[in-house]
Amino acid sequence: MDHVIVVGAGLGGIRSVEALRSRGYEGRITLLGQERHRPYDRPPLSKAVLLGDSDSSFVDTDLAALNVDFRPGVVAKGLREGIVETTEGELAFDGLVIATGSEPITLPGDGQQHVLRTLDDAHELRARLVSGAHVAIIGAGWIGAEVATAARRAGCEVTVIEAASAPLTHALGAELGARTVPWYEGIDLRLDTMVSEVVEGGVDLVGGGFVQAHVVVVGIGARPALEWLAGADLDLHNGVVTDEHLRASMPGVVAVGDCANWWSRRYGTRLRVEHWDTALNSPDTAAATLLGEDAVYDPVPYFWSEQFGHMVQYAGYHPAGTKTVRREGTSWSTVWLDDADRIVAVVAVDRPRDLVQGRRLIAADAVLDVDRLVDPDVALRDC
Ligand code: FAD
């Protein structure tokens, strides 16, 4: 292989470059990035950067030592076998990593909508979070909760509008999500409420009603950034469809991070996980696959969120309807068990030990004793 193109210069993109080099690939690498920044981490955008504790979150990497031709501001426009079409002409490749991540979904309407995906978004929004400003946040998911945390800290009047009956319903289910409602003290939290459109000066609600706001932030989810692949002869369905080696349907092409929809051997289903750990770790498998090695990506998915002074961590994967067992103490966690009492997922709130131990137990397919599990004083690894 002489030339690998990596499209997307986020975490998944730069980790792909690093993985290729650390596995001994010495040919050319071109890294295309739509943004004009060098690669940076996104989790701090809704935390330290939005809170004003930090201005940036650049990935600690040495582009010169990696001998990569990094092209900021160059966008991939199309793909056919062996060729990427870009805003600066066509580039031939014999290996391609698709690492274009995801992009925020927005709402109808002519009013200004802030999203939080890029470093520029974070700086723009931070400048608007000033004391006394009325901020309407649409969506009480991970991003919405973290933006609400920062907005309250900045002294804003905050309204959070959520279509479901509880925050975090999509990720954790309504029952667990409802446990975070008390965290919204001092915030006008409107559940079971839908926005019809964002207009000048606020948002219109479905069924009538208007929420006045100086700043409207939309955090209702993201979709894989794959428009540039629309005409390509590539299997796309909720992301780039890959096998367990992260190999896409076109020869010499792999996908990583938010945009990869891979076959999970562990769970016997397809997974697309829009979280940092996937962007960090999937590139090693993708690089190995491009280099003809036999590597399988089969993680226990993991993510975290910092909101309202709490650390929420989740590991695993649980289909709807999976049995749960709660561990209640001053902090709490919940474990999902399959029909054979095998642990398949865990969420821990301010209980990092349960998360770490739970993640290992999930990887080991451990069967747990429910009677011991309900006792929060028994370590998870001893259940
Ligand atoms: P991205 O980071 O989206 O990078 C893709 C890059 O490709 C982008 O720079 C994009 O501009 C570029 N690109 C797209 N299309 C093209 C094209 N056609 N040509 C060239 N370049 C292109 N996860 C957690 O686990 N915990 C957290 O606390 C957490 N917090 C987050 C907070 C925020 C505000 C955001 C936005 C995400 C957060 N995440 C968190 C998720 C995590 O950051 C993502 O899963 C991760 O960034 C995905 O990395 P990626 O490289 O796959 O994609």
Side-chain angles (χ1 to χ4, degrees):
M1 212 166 40
D2 294 326
H3 185 204
V4 176
I5 300 179
V6 179
V7 182
L11 182 66
I14 189 62
R15 287 287 175 242
S16 298
V17 174
E18 291 175 348
L20 284 162
R21 290 298 185 223
S22 70
R23 286 180 172 273
Y25 172 68
E26 291 180 348
R28 285 172 60 208
I29 306 179
T30 303
L31 175 63
L32 305 182
Q34 180 163 14
E35 295 180 65
R36 296 196 175 270
H37 300 290
R38 63 193 162 87
Y40 60 88
D41 271 322
R42 288 178 208 278
L45 301 184
S46 50
K47 306 173 183 67
V49 176
L50 207 55
L51 290 164
D53 297 336
S54 172
D55 285 333
S56 64
S57 53
F58 293 114
V59 174
D60 183 15
T61 193
D62 185 341
L63 294 171
L66 287 168
N67 189 21
V68 56
D69 179 6
F70 172 42
R71 305 202 190 169
V74 177
V75 181
K77 303 297 259 182
L79 170 70
R80 49 186 208 273
E81 215 162 304
I83 300 284
V84 173
E85 295 151 23
T86 81
T87 43
E88 292 193 347
E90 296 193 343
L91 291 173
F93 68 85
D94 36 30
L96 173 68
V97 182
I98 300 175
T100 43
S102 49
E103 55 200 7
I105 297 168
T106 52
L107 284 165
D110 295 333
Q112 189 186 9
Q113 303 184 32
H114 288 270
V115 293
L116 184 50
R117 185 73 204 173
T118 67
L119 188 54
D120 296 344
D121 294 338
H123 284 154
E124 207 177 301
L125 183 57
R126 185 169 87 182
R128 304 291 310 273
L129 298 185
V130 292
S131 183
H134 197 150
V135 179
I137 299 167
I138 304 161
W142 303 117
I143 298 282
E146 293 190 357
V147 173
T149 303
R152 280 303 286 160
R153 167 100 83 91
C156 304
E157 294 295 318
V158 181
T159 301
V160 174
I161 303 164
E162 167 57 53
S165 61
L168 306 179
T169 297
H170 181 64
L172 300 180
E175 198 189 328
L176 283 176
R179 303 194 62 175
T180 71
V181 169
W183 301 353
Y184 286 76
E185 199 187 338
I187 291 175
D188 174 20
L189 173 63
R190 310 220 188 157
L191 300 169
D192 295 312
T193 305
M194 291 205 23
V195 168
S196 57
E197 57 179 337
V198 180
V199 295
E200 183 76 22
V203 297
D204 283 335
L205 304 178
V206 171
F210 175 73
V211 173
Q212 183 267 331
H214 303 111
V215 183
V216 175
V217 186
V218 178
I220 57 171
R223 62 168 77 86
L226 299 175
E227 251 172 58
W228 67 284
L229 293 169
D233 185 16
L234 194 67
D235 197 358
L236 302 176
H237 178 71
N238 182 29
V240 179
V241 174
T242 78
D243 62 13
E244 64 265 51
H245 310 286
L246 299 175
R247 192 186 290 123
S249 60
M250 187 183 277
V253 179
V254 292
V256 300
D258 276 15
C259 68
N261 179 349
W262 80 91
W263 177 255
S264 165
R265 270 196 196 170
R266 179 183 305 280
Y267 297 107
T269 187
R270 297 207 145 275
L271 293 182
R272 192 176 69 78
V273 177
E274 286 174 4
H275 291 298
W276 184 85
D277 189 70
T278 312
L280 182 76
N281 291 311
S282 57
D284 193 50
T285 300
T289 299
L290 270 189
L291 297 173
E293 296 163 33
D294 182 24
V296 170
Y297 186 57
D298 199 16
V300 173
Y302 164 71
F303 68 84
W304 80 97
S305 169
E306 293 160 44
Q307 45 183 280
F308 308 109
H310 297 280
M311 172 63 98
V312 183
Q313 295 168 291
Y314 175 96
Y317 164 75
H318 71 274
T322 312
K323 172 172 79 183
T324 56
V325 177
R326 285 186 185 186
R327 288 163 61 75
E328 301 283 351
T330 45
S331 55
W332 59 272
S333 63
T334 290
V335 168
W336 283 264
L337 300 175
D338 71 7
D339 293 343
D341 287 344
R342 225 184 319 266
I343 176 172
V344 294
V346 59
V347 62
V349 176
D350 304 323
R351 275 177 86 89
R353 204 171 292 166
D354 273 11
L355 188 285
V356 171
Q357 294 178 11
R359 196 177 182 189
R360 283 196 200 117
L361 291 167
I362 296 165
D365 277 335
V367 172
L368 303 188
D369 177 339
V370 176
D371 292 337
R372 292 175 68 73
L373 193 56
V374 290
D375 183 349
D377 295 328
V378 178
L380 205 49
R381 63 164 177 254
D382 298 328
C383 289

